[in-house]
Amino acid sequence: MKYPEESAKGRDPMKLTVGQLMKQAVATCSPRARAMDLARRLSEWNVGSIPIVEDDHTLVGLVSESDLIDMLIAGRDLRVLTAADVMTRKVVTVTEDMSALDLMNLFQDRYLIRVPVVKDNILVGVVARRDVILGYVKALEQ
């Protein structure tokens, strides 16, 4: 597993790429997973969203805390819904070669906290605002 601080150390922080910042180890779920299980996993794993992937790791959606809250507000029962029922299907994604500066602008322009990183629609990681900050700090360390 690669951590952002390993590939960022001693580099120009403004020349970092998503590939140098992202986390490769990503908890995912199947579109067939129960929404109730997703809600439990979000809490247990202390994450705000879970990428939804097919068996070949093709990204098909994302379930966020907001998606689940929308279902609760609508009076839907998470025990009977699946990830496919609640997931956001049009997911904003990035690639490993995107610059850190472009990523920061995307985060700010779209009010995003984290985004999946894909290669040919296959999930290869996730990058978050926190990873950008950590990468910046580590890049400036000697």
Side-chain angles (χ1 to χ4, degrees), residues 58-74:
T58 299
L59 181 69
V60 294
L62 189 81
V63 173
S64 68
E65 295 164 324
S66 181
D67 295 323
L68 295 173
I69 288 172
D70 285 344
M71 292 296 119
L72 295 173
I73 290 170

Side-chain angles (χ1 to χ4, degrees), residues 82-96:
T82 65
D85 296 327
V86 301
M87 69 186 183
T88 298
R89 294 176 187 274
K90 293 183 180 179
V91 181
V92 175
T93 62
V94 297
T95 60
E96 294 173 274

Side-chain angles (χ1 to χ4, degrees), residues 12 22 24 33 39-40 52 74 79-80 88 101 106 121 140:
D12 179 343
M22 71 182 199
Q24 292 175 323
R40 187 175 294 112
I52 307 302
R79 295 172 297 182
V80 299
T88 298
L101 183 58
L106 177 70
N121 209 35
L140 294 177

Side-chain angles (χ1 to χ4, degrees), residues 25-40:
V26 179
T28 63
C29 285
S30 157
R32 296 166 292 288
R34 291 278 169 211
M36 187 66 170
D37 291 334
L38 291 170
R40 187 175 294 112

